[in-house]
Amino acid sequence: MCGIIGYIGNNNSIEIILDGLKRLEYRGYDSAGIAYINKDGHIDLTRCQGKIIELVRKIADKHIDVTMGIGHTRWATHGGPSEKNAHPHRYGKIAIVHNGIIENYITLKKDLMNIGHVFSSDTDTEVICHLINDFYSEGKSFEDSVRLTTKMLVGSYAIAVINESEQGKIICAKMDSPLVIGLGKGEYYVASDVPAFLNYTRDVIFLKDSEFAVLSLDGVMIFDSDGKFVTRASEKITWNPSMAEKGGYRHFMLKEIFEQPRAVADTIGGRINAETGEINILEFGFHDQDSLLQFQKIFIVACGTSWHAALCAKYMIEELARVSVEVDIASEFRYRNPLINKSTLLIAITQSGETADTLAAIREAKKQGAVTLTICNVLGSTASRESDHVFYTHSGPEIGVASTKSFTAQLVALYMLAIALAGNKIEKNTAKSLIKDLLHIPLILEEALSKDKNIEELAKAYSKTCDFLYLGRGILYPIALEGALKLKEISYIHAEGYPAGEMKHGPIALIDEKMPVVILLTKDALYNKVISNIEEVKSRGGNTLVISNEDDPEIRVKSDSFLFIPKSNKFLNALTMSLPLQLLAYHIAVIRGCDVDQPRNLAKSVTVE
């Protein structure tokens, strides 16, 4: 997830673009840049690695006064954070900024290199720039050059393009990535999100997929993918700037909870073959199936929420791949002298890639000869650089301290890894079915999020409680742990997660009319056993909140509160069960007046031991 801003008008575009980039920095902060056409009629680029303030410092001494330009703040996906990979990219007469992932860029890049193109970055974006320039050099119009290029792209994109031979235009286009146009008085804006220009105008047009638009001093013209003119009325934005940075959501955490269907889709994108039932193992850094099947033992290390994802992975990998898996909290792993050798795979899970204990675990495993694989969200992070292999989740920046979308993206990555590790140990039809379920999961998550209002009502009933117990069995036990952690982190209510089968081994002593028990229930082999847990809680006066993907009237009667959510397969149910627990914690914390995005004593990334 990155930030785009473009401007054409009669004012100083550099000041407006820098202001817009500052307002979009939450979307990406590993590099930034601006492109504009100088007084000699040529495109100039100013780019830097790091945050927007570095770009401001770099451009301050140039005293540029131009009235059109494009800017970008980057969250790296293809190519590490560096000045050469920073946007905008330029080739020939064309400069471009891009959000999204071009899934077929390797094929396109090879074709271009075969006819003599030389690339200056590691990004997928630069391919788009080359293609537009080639079409334009062949005599196509600027508009058709952009339109024909987008027809060649597979994946997601939001782009803004300038051409030094047509200095009065910015052309933008989108597919599965947001892009909005701002309408001022004799000036026009394009951005990936409204806050970029909200201080200047509240009149906007939201581009639709496969459309492109031409911004000039004469106004805005919108076209479909065939070049036919589209009429579109503008809309009035009523958000204030603070709300707009969060996309209209009250908190970043809530925004990120609702981003999960898209984050999961981005993690899946280009990495599976639904027809063959295969996972693209190159995405995990392995060149062939044999290199994945060599491991006799797997260790998974992580901290906090990532450790809960690791526990889920144990269920997935052991059942599908039939390889023994040990899960360690990273801070314990490094000190316990684990039994590791060259046939061991160590999987490190870390959102930031900078967690100190996880980095220490990676280094210890490598010292003892293990092969290391990091599952991470931040391209170019220390963990990704120091591991033998890396898988990027591409879930985008996560601003809220409490992890939400990075957790579900990790679960998806681990699910795909489990299928890849299984190889021919599972039948092709089984693999195809598992992948089919994965392709459907973004829609199922959307359906789960539709229960938000129901969950908010439940939160009102439980917000004054002092203690919670969360119960789950099988792969839902780690989800119970995660639900309890979310509540603790942001509402400051004491909560514990337990395997439901352990309730009689201690936690049952805590149950009374003041203790709500959240019970995760799915229709599987352990369904009746969990129902017994509900009975045990009720017989001791406890209050039961049952979250189930089986709308069983009998269970509704036994429950004080009941929430029905959609179902998937037994592994992916871990994702669908996570979302209502995140929302429950969020709404309880808001009702209690807690600082949801920055809870006390917590940091987003723990970079010291």
Side-chain angles (χ1 to χ4, degrees):
M1 188 167 68
C2 311
I4 285 174
I5 174 68
Y7 170 82
I8 183 167
N10 296 306
N11 292 308
N12 187 324
S13 64
I14 302 302
E15 294 176 359
I16 292 169
I17 290 169
L18 287 174
D19 180 59
L21 290 176
K22 291 173 187 175
R23 297 177 188 281
L24 292 175
E25 191 164 20
Y26 69 92
R27 294 180 65 95
Y29 35 74
D30 60 41
S31 60
I34 289 179
Y36 54 90
I37 297 173
N38 63 30
K39 292 182 179 179
D40 296 327
H42 300 299
I43 290 174
D44 271 353
L45 298 184
T46 302
R47 303 183 297 178
C48 70
Q49 182 178 347
K51 297 190 176 184
I52 306 300
I53 188 63
E54 299 303 322
L55 181 65
V56 173
R57 289 170 182 158
K58 197 168 184 178
I59 210 168
D61 297 332
K62 296 187 177 183
H63 305 293
I64 305 161
D65 187 7
V66 293
T67 56
M68 184 184 77
I70 53 177
H72 191 268
T73 179
R74 183 170 186 250
W75 174 260
T77 55
H78 291 80
S82 65
E83 185 171 325
K84 75 170 185 175
N85 290 330
H87 296 217
H89 288 286
R90 176 180 57 190
Y91 182 76
K93 297 178 180 296
I94 303 298
I96 186 172
V97 290
H98 163 231
N99 291 351
I101 297 173
I102 305 304
E103 296 174 12
N104 64 333
Y105 90 98
I106 293 176
T107 301
L108 294 171
K109 186 172 183 178
K110 286 180 179 177
D111 290 343
L112 289 164
M113 292 175 70
N114 287 338
I115 59 173
H117 284 250
V118 176
F119 288 80
S120 59
S121 77
D122 304 317
T123 68
D124 55 344
T125 301
E126 194 182 352
V127 168
I128 310 174
C129 200
H130 283 241
L131 290 170
I132 295 172
N133 190 79
D134 274 14
F135 279 121
Y136 191 73
S137 298
E138 292 169 2
K140 301 287 193 302
S141 69
F142 186 17
E143 289 84 351
D144 277 347
S145 297
V146 174
R147 183 176 63 83
L148 292 170
T149 293
T150 59
K151 285 180 174 290
M152 300 176 68
L153 306 178
V154 176
S156 61
Y157 58 81
I159 59 174
V161 190
I162 59 174
N163 180 340
E164 66 181 32
S165 291
E166 302 200 26
Q167 300 184 14
K169 295 178 182 176
I170 298 174
I171 296 183
C172 49
K174 77 170 292 286
M175 173 62 75
D176 290 335
S177 219
L179 205 59
V180 59
I181 295 168
L183 309 176
K185 294 181 179 179
E187 56 186 0
Y188 304 94
Y189 310 79
V190 60
S192 49
D193 209 350
V194 169
F197 55 69
L198 196 57
N199 278 354
Y200 306 99
T201 182
R202 294 180 180 235
D203 295 314
V204 304
I205 296 174
F206 291 96
L207 275 191
K208 296 182 179 180
D209 284 347
S210 299
E211 291 181 341
F212 71 98
V214 180
L215 282 61
S216 71
L217 290 175
D218 295 327
V220 175
M221 297 184 72
I222 301 172
F223 303 88
D224 66 15
S225 60
D226 295 320
K228 295 179 181 178
F229 180 71
V230 174
T231 301
R232 178 78 44 72
S234 65
E235 302 177 39
K236 180 75 73 174
I237 294 297
T238 58
W239 310 329
N240 62 45
S242 176
M243 289 172 63
E245 287 181 6
K246 302 177 179 73
Y249 292 99
R250 186 173 176 182
H251 297 96
F252 279 114
M253 181 182 177
L254 186 61
K255 177 176 182 282
E256 288 155 5
I257 289 172
F258 276 85
E259 284 177 344
Q260 286 175 104
R262 169 55 56 196
V264 164
D266 286 345
T267 301
I268 298 168
R271 289 165 161 174
I272 61 177
N273 187 323
E275 293 180 2
T276 63
E278 293 177 344
I279 303 294
N280 182 359
I281 60 174
L282 288 173
E283 292 288 333
F284 290 94
F286 294 92
H287 296 292
D288 53 56
Q289 193 70 44
D290 289 343
S291 61
L292 261 180
L293 299 180
Q294 65 176 309
F295 302 111
Q296 298 174 11
K297 183 70 175 288
I298 295 174
F299 285 89
I300 310 180
V301 295
C303 300
T305 287
S306 295
W307 180 65
H308 299 153
L311 291 172
C312 290
K314 177 180 174 68
Y315 288 92
M316 297 176 186
I317 294 171
E318 289 193 340
E319 180 160 343
L320 293 175
R322 308 307 296 162
V323 180
S324 177
V325 177
E326 284 192 36
V327 177
D328 275 86
I329 293 173
S331 56
E332 296 297 317
F333 177 87
R334 63 186 293 196
Y335 294 116
R336 74 173 182 82
N337 196 22
L339 299 173
I340 295 173
N341 56 42
K342 293 181 180 179
S343 64
T344 300
L345 173 66
L346 179 119
I347 303 170
I349 309 173
T350 165
Q351 190 281 140
S352 67
E354 304 296 343
T355 306
D357 289 315
T358 305
L359 291 174
I362 293 169
R363 291 162 186 159
E364 179 63 26
K366 290 189 74 172
K367 189 188 303 182
Q368 296 190 37
V371 175
T372 55
L373 164 66
T374 285
I375 293 174
C376 181
N377 191 33
V378 181
L379 197 146
S381 61
T382 304
S384 68
R385 295 196 309 270
E386 294 194 8
S387 296
D388 299 308
H389 307 281
V390 62
F391 180 97
Y392 292 111
T393 55
H394 296 324
S395 58
E398 192 173 60
I399 307 302
V401 167
S403 174
T404 53
K405 65 179 182 176
S406 62
F407 174 65
T408 47
Q410 287 168 356
L411 290 179
V412 165
L414 293 161
Y415 179 85
M416 290 191 285
L417 179 60
I419 297 171
L421 285 165
N424 57 14
K425 294 176 185 175
I426 56 176
E427 296 180 354
K428 280 291 182 187
N429 286 339
T430 300
K432 288 180 182 179
S433 178
L434 290 168
I435 288 177
K436 182 179 178 181
D437 291 340
L438 182 60
L439 288 170
H440 288 158
I441 201 67
L443 291 175
I444 293 173
L445 296 182
E446 291 276 11
E447 189 178 343
L449 290 170
S450 72
K451 306 290 184 179
D452 180 46
K453 292 299 180 185
N454 305 80
I455 296 167
E456 187 175 9
E457 288 302 312
L458 290 173
K460 293 175 183 177
Y462 291 112
S463 61
K464 295 182 179 180
T465 304
C466 296
D467 301 278
F468 265 81
L469 185 63
Y470 288 70
L471 300 178
R473 297 217 52 164
I475 199 169
L476 296 184
Y477 158 53
I479 303 305
L481 291 173
E482 175 62 12
L485 176 62
K486 282 291 151 288
L487 192 68
K488 281 185 281 194
E489 284 179 313
I490 62 171
S491 76
Y492 318 140
I493 294 174
H494 174 255
E496 297 294 336
Y498 267 89
E502 281 289 290
M503 192 178 73
K504 291 191 288 290
H505 295 269
I508 199 169
L510 298 171
I511 293 172
D512 58 22
E513 67 280 358
K514 296 179 182 179
M515 167 75 84
V517 182
V518 180
I519 299 171
L520 307 180
L521 180 63
T522 57
K523 195 64 178 284
D524 54 26
L526 298 173
Y527 185 71
N528 289 328
K529 294 186 181 298
V530 179
I531 291 175
S532 297
N533 291 125
I534 298 172
E535 297 277 14
E536 289 165 350
V537 173
K538 293 303 297 176
S539 68
R540 286 156 180 81
N543 185 297
T544 56
L545 166 53
V546 177
I547 301 175
S548 177
N549 59 12
E550 190 69 24
D551 197 0
D552 187 335
E554 182 183 351
I555 304 303
R556 281 185 176 270
V557 171
K558 295 178 185 294
S559 309
D560 293 286
S561 303
F562 182 88
L563 183 68
F564 173 68
I565 61 167
K567 68 176 67 174
S568 184
N569 68 37
K570 60 182 176 182
F571 303 117
L572 294 176
N573 280 333
L575 278 79
T576 62
M577 286 286 184
S578 298
L579 271 60
L581 297 182
Q582 294 168 359
L583 286 168
L584 180 67
Y586 169 80
H587 287 300
I588 288 176
V590 169
I591 292 167
R592 290 168 66 91
C594 301
D595 187 342
V596 171
D597 285 336
Q598 295 181 326
R600 68 189 183 202
N601 304 333
L602 295 177
K604 184 62 184 170
S605 180
V606 182
T607 56
V608 294
E609 186 178 0

